[in-house]
Amino acid sequence: MTMRCYCSIRLLATLIIHAFALTTRCCHSFVLPSATPLICSSCGARAQNNYDGVTQQLMSRQAVTAKEIDTETISVALPSNWRDIDHNWPIQAADILTRFGVVALTSSPSNNNSNTGLISTQTIDRANESASSRLEDMQTRISKRGVDPNGIEDGPYRFAEIICRDEGGLRYDVPLPWLGDDSNGSTGDNNRDDQVGSGRIGAPLTNMEKEGVADLHKAMNEIVPHVLEALWSGDEEDNNDDITTNNDSSNSYVAASGYLINKPGSKSQNWHKDGPDAGFIDCFVPLIDLNEELGPTSFRLDDDEDDELVPMLNKGNILLFDYRTIHRGQGNTSEDTTRTLAYAVYRRRELDGDGTKKESGDVHNFPAALTLEYD
């Protein structure tokens, strides 16, 4: 063997060693192919990174594009007994959310009909009826003001109870009070006191609308905080050791909630982020089964605008994504089917200097607006 061949072999061995250094391992030798510290889905331990500046540069070239992943890649199927404390699905979901900026929570096909979502069909259907009623009521009030409620002729509009942000209309954000728990500090009548965004929702919900969304919010809040606990509990900045997943002791709270309603004929949105800040997670729950015609939400995971990840979820499943993940709502090209989803914006709970919990709404997307309450 010549000296040149020997040196080549040594060089190859060195490269192999560095390749192993690119991965991150915990006590169970669980390989996490990411430069970001993640969590072991076996033991829950937060992994430690083991790479230097050179290997970090190599890792940056291994970018994952939307072409390389699909809905299954970003999905975690929850078992029927998902409430059991020994399950690691929250850790798995937090890992995916950390890596890709989006994760889908679905029901396990082995435990349910494959067309059934995590949240019961009855709860979802009641919420969908609530959304239709609320939209019709608010648009009737807008019409009485002499404004096109569809947002087509007169362009976008903003009220406390309903927002049409997009040129071309037919796409609406209908803010709601959060009825999932009392973590927002609301007392008495949630319609009047609950704070979402920069202030009150305005015109109160009818009893039917309120009952239709209350069970949905409670179902969402049974599931989502577990993922956020896994996502944020290991952060170095989190020195609040007594945080648990129970209501106002959770490390998160709901900063905004409502319905997103996309009617036939709507146009696709521009690519955008919901805001620039860390510590916000959007939660979407489709109230009907999604397909390409209905204008589902698509995500851009790299700089190529042609690479889109479009999760197709059944109604009642849950989609979580970081506030800063680039996304857009596609246009609804169906003939007569309205796509409605419920949303909540979960925010990481912070503490003031005296240790008291500090909460505020999503003022980036919900600044102060006129109300239709007295129309």
Side-chain angles (χ1 to χ4, degrees):
M1 179 181 293
T2 65
M3 180 62 71
R4 166 173 259 174
C5 292
Y6 176 73
C7 292
S8 298
I9 292 173
R10 289 193 62 185
L11 177 60
L12 178 60
T14 302
L15 289 174
I16 291 173
I17 292 171
H18 275 281
F20 277 104
L22 295 181
T23 61
T24 309
R25 296 175 182 269
C26 74
C27 58
H28 281 81
S29 296
F30 181 75
V31 180
L32 302 171
S34 171
T36 305
L38 298 178
I39 307 171
C40 173
S41 56
S42 300
C43 67
R46 204 148 179 95
Q48 300 298 318
N49 282 335
N50 233 353
Y51 56 87
D52 55 23
V54 175
T55 54
Q56 186 174 10
Q57 290 178 16
L58 291 173
M59 290 182 69
S60 67
R61 299 176 186 173
Q62 300 176 350
V64 177
T65 68
K67 290 180 179 178
E68 297 172 314
I69 63 174
D70 54 19
T71 302
E72 184 177 356
T73 306
I74 61 148
S75 295
V76 175
L78 274 63
S80 59
N81 56 343
W82 59 263
R83 292 178 178 84
D84 290 355
I85 194 169
D86 58 342
H87 282 300
N88 63 2
W89 64 265
I91 297 172
Q92 294 173 341
D95 286 351
I96 294 172
L97 185 55
T98 299
R99 185 176 184 191
F100 299 115
V102 57
V103 63
L105 306 179
T106 66
S107 59
S108 174
S110 61
N111 297 314
N112 295 294
N113 182 297
S114 60
N115 293 324
T116 302
L118 278 174
I119 301 174
S120 73
T121 298
Q122 180 181 6
T123 297
I124 292 298
D125 290 345
R126 291 181 65 196
N128 202 13
E129 293 174 4
S130 169
S132 298
S133 173
R134 182 68 170 177
L135 178 65
E136 181 179 358
D137 183 10
M138 295 305 105
Q139 289 196 316
T140 298
R141 298 182 188 223
I142 292 174
S143 295
K144 292 179 179 179
R145 293 190 171 209
V147 177
D148 174 22
N150 294 314
I152 298 174
E153 296 180 5
D154 301 317
Y157 55 77
R158 178 185 295 275
F159 295 96
E161 301 86 351
I162 182 172
I163 305 164
C164 177
R165 295 188 178 93
D166 300 336
E167 294 291 342
L170 300 175
R171 187 190 301 272
Y172 314 102
D173 185 334
V174 183
L176 297 172
W178 177 249
L179 304 180
D181 58 30
D182 294 327
S183 66
N184 283 13
S186 59
T187 57
D189 184 353
N190 281 322
N191 283 317
R192 315 301 299 185
D193 301 325
D194 198 272
Q195 302 289 314
V196 175
S198 59
R200 286 193 300 111
I201 293 304
L205 307 179
T206 66
N207 287 336
M208 184 277 283
E209 293 166 354
K210 184 176 179 180
E211 292 170 359
V213 74
D215 287 343
L216 174 61
H217 283 178
K218 291 173 183 176
M220 294 163 66
N221 220 37
E222 279 189 338
I223 299 172
V224 176
H226 292 287
V227 179
L228 304 185
E229 184 74 13
L231 181 69
W232 287 325
S233 62
D235 287 359
E236 293 180 359
E237 297 176 358
D238 188 356
N239 56 7
N240 183 24
D241 295 333
D242 64 350
I243 281 181
T244 67
T245 56
N246 296 321
N247 295 327
D248 62 347
S249 296
S250 172
N251 65 356
S252 63
Y253 63 95
V254 174
S257 65
Y259 297 122
L260 294 177
I261 301 174
N262 186 1
K263 285 191 169 184
S266 67
K267 299 178 181 179
S268 293
Q269 294 178 314
N270 294 324
W271 291 109
H272 65 280
K273 301 177 182 179
D274 280 349
D277 301 320
F280 289 85
I281 298 296
D282 290 318
C283 171
F284 283 4
V285 180
L287 304 186
I288 64 171
D289 293 339
L290 298 180
N291 61 47
E292 292 180 358
E293 288 187 344
L294 297 179
T297 304
S298 56
F299 296 88
R300 202 179 82 196
L301 304 184
D302 53 41
D303 293 331
D304 188 348
E305 292 193 11
D306 293 330
D307 288 353
E308 295 187 44
L309 171 66
V310 188
M312 296 295 181
L313 302 182
N314 293 326
K315 65 181 184 181
N317 285 328
I318 296 175
L319 187 70
L320 301 177
F321 62 96
D322 192 284
Y323 200 63
R324 301 161 295 175
T325 301
I326 298 175
H327 65 284
R328 66 173 179 174
Q330 295 186 358
N332 186 336
T333 61
S334 69
E335 292 185 5
D336 55 8
T337 304
T338 297
R339 185 225 67 185
T340 303
L341 60 82
Y343 73 86
V345 180
Y346 282 84
R347 184 170 186 177
R348 177 174 174 158
R349 193 185 301 278
E350 299 176 353
L351 299 179
D352 281 328
D354 60 1
T356 58
K357 293 164 184 164
K358 180 173 65 175
E359 298 180 359
S360 60
D362 179 6
V363 295
H364 180 80
N365 289 295
F366 300 96
L370 296 174
T371 180
L372 297 167
E373 182 173 2
Y374 307 107
D375 286 55

